[in-house]
């Protein structure tokens, strides 16, 4: 059967958010410099196993690759090159907007490229834009065909859209909950004219819990038996000492 575009995008957002969470989780555990103790740290803003930025990213990639049929180029090579560059530009734009909004509105840095060559405000940089182009290419050759299969499956099993609805219900509650936490962090950052680094706060809470042999709650990386303000105060005093 034929499905409407909003349902397709909702389904891909759901798949992308969950897959992105898994990728980030593994990356942070084994490769990230922000986690030298190699702990399992719940990635992203939300509590549950989803990172919405990846959901948006998957939607963007799907839409970009869907533009292929409108290509003005005769050659397949030129068409693909244009697609991958468009994709890199779109992903960089998403990254810039998300990074800017969180920095300006929330005083929170979700990621920091300030050490990278050619970076703009530590939010975007050429190295990651090139990585986005590569990712769009990987998506095009290896993932998109499966996405089309998954969409064909969904069109035959529309009852599954119930679960997509359920996901959005839980996701919205989670996002609202996280927004409450973010508002608290923002208030603290504004009071102290500071810029908070999301992952650093989580790592700090976790290290404190480990030192106290307190059980860490994987899905609540900001909560411990000690008030969050005290952890934030430590982070800011460390930063002040380093200046």
């Amino acid at each position: 059967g034929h499905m409407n575009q909003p349902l397709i995008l909702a389904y891909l957002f759901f798949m992308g958010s969950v897959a992105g969470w898994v990728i980030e989780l593994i990356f942070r555990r084994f490769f990230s410099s922000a986690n030298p103790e190699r702990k399992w740290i719940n990635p992203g803003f939300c509590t549950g196993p989803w990172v919405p930025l990846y959901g948006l990213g998957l939607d963007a990639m799907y839409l970009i690759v869907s533009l292929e049929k409108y290509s003005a180029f005769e050659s397949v090579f030129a068409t693909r090159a244009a697609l991958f560059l468009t994709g890199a530009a779109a992903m960089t734009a998403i990254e810039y907007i998300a990074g800017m909004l969180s920095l300006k509105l929330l005083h929170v840095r979700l990621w920091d490229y300030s050490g990278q060559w050619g970076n703009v405000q530590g939010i975007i940089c050429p190295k990651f834009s090139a990585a986005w182009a590569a990712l769009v290419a990987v998506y095009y050759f290896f993932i998109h065909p499966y996405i089309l299969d998954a969409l064909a499956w969904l069109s035959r099993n529309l009852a599954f859209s119930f679960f997509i609805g359920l996901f959005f219900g839980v996701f919205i509650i989670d996002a609202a909950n996280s927004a409450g936490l973010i508002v608290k962090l923002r208030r603290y950052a504004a009071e102290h004219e500071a810029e908070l680094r999301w992952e650093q706060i989580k790592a700090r809470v976790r290290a404190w819990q480990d030192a106290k042999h307190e059980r860490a709650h994987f899905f609540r990386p900001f909560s411990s038996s000690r008030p969050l303000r005290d952890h934030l105060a430590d982070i800011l005093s460390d930063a002040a000492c380093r200046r």
Side-chain angles (χ1 to χ4, degrees):
H2 187 68
M3 283 186 300
N4 59 353
Q5 202 70 5
L7 178 62
I8 290 174
L9 294 178
Y11 180 54
L12 294 181
F13 180 84
F14 159 73
M15 292 193 347
S17 299
V18 175
W21 183 84
V22 173
I23 294 166
E24 284 267 323
L25 179 68
I26 291 167
F27 176 80
R28 290 194 190 289
R29 170 69 175 77
F30 297 105
F31 307 104
S32 170
S33 57
N35 178 19
E37 290 94 19
R38 296 281 158 252
K39 296 272 188 288
W40 290 105
I41 293 178
N42 187 3
F45 256 116
C46 296
T47 310
W50 35 71
V51 180
L53 216 53
Y54 284 88
L56 286 177
L58 187 59
D59 278 343
M61 286 203 216
Y62 169 78
L63 290 171
I64 288 155
V65 171
S66 305
L67 294 174
E68 186 176 27
K69 56 181 176 290
Y70 305 112
S71 169
F73 299 107
E74 288 298 305
S75 98
V76 173
F77 178 80
T79 297
R80 286 174 180 170
L83 265 187
F84 303 159
L85 287 174
T86 306
M91 300 302 279
T92 302
I94 290 176
E95 201 175 24
Y96 187 75
I97 293 164
M100 260 337 255
L101 285 175
S102 68
L103 198 55
K104 291 282 170 271
L105 297 177
L106 311 172
H107 305 286
V108 171
R109 247 190 208 281
L110 294 178
W111 59 84
D112 191 3
Y113 300 155
S114 46
Q116 303 286 347
W117 173 81
N119 78 84
V120 179
Q121 292 149 299
I123 298 174
I124 53 173
C125 67
K127 178 172 136 186
F128 273 81
S129 295
W132 291 126
L135 194 63
V136 176
V138 166
Y139 172 83
Y140 178 90
F141 290 113
F142 302 106
I143 302 169
H144 194 68
Y146 291 105
I147 293 285
L148 295 177
D149 290 347
L151 293 177
W153 177 87
L154 180 63
S155 70
R156 291 191 304 274
N157 299 276
L158 282 174
F160 185 78
S161 44
F162 168 78
F163 291 101
I164 301 172
L166 201 63
F167 162 80
F168 275 97
V170 177
F171 170 70
I172 287 163
I173 293 167
D174 185 15
N177 209 352
S178 304
L181 170 70
I182 292 159
V183 167
K184 273 188 212 145
L185 289 176
R186 181 187 182 280
R187 206 173 290 143
Y188 187 91
E191 268 170 41
H192 297 81
E193 294 178 354
E195 187 180 279
L196 297 172
R197 283 181 174 66
W198 202 240
E199 298 306 324
Q200 185 192 8
I201 301 168
K202 289 184 198 174
R204 169 61 65 114
V205 172
R206 183 62 190 267
W208 184 85
Q209 287 178 313
D210 290 344
K212 294 269 181 289
H213 302 292
E214 181 179 303
R215 193 169 149 257
H217 292 281
F218 178 74
F219 284 113
R220 293 207 307 279
F222 293 98
S223 68
S224 65
S225 63
R226 180 190 194 208
L228 186 60
R229 292 183 79 89
D230 297 357
H231 290 295
L232 296 175
D234 281 359
I235 291 172
L236 296 191
S237 69
D238 283 4
C241 295
R242 264 192 240 110
R243 278 202 195 112

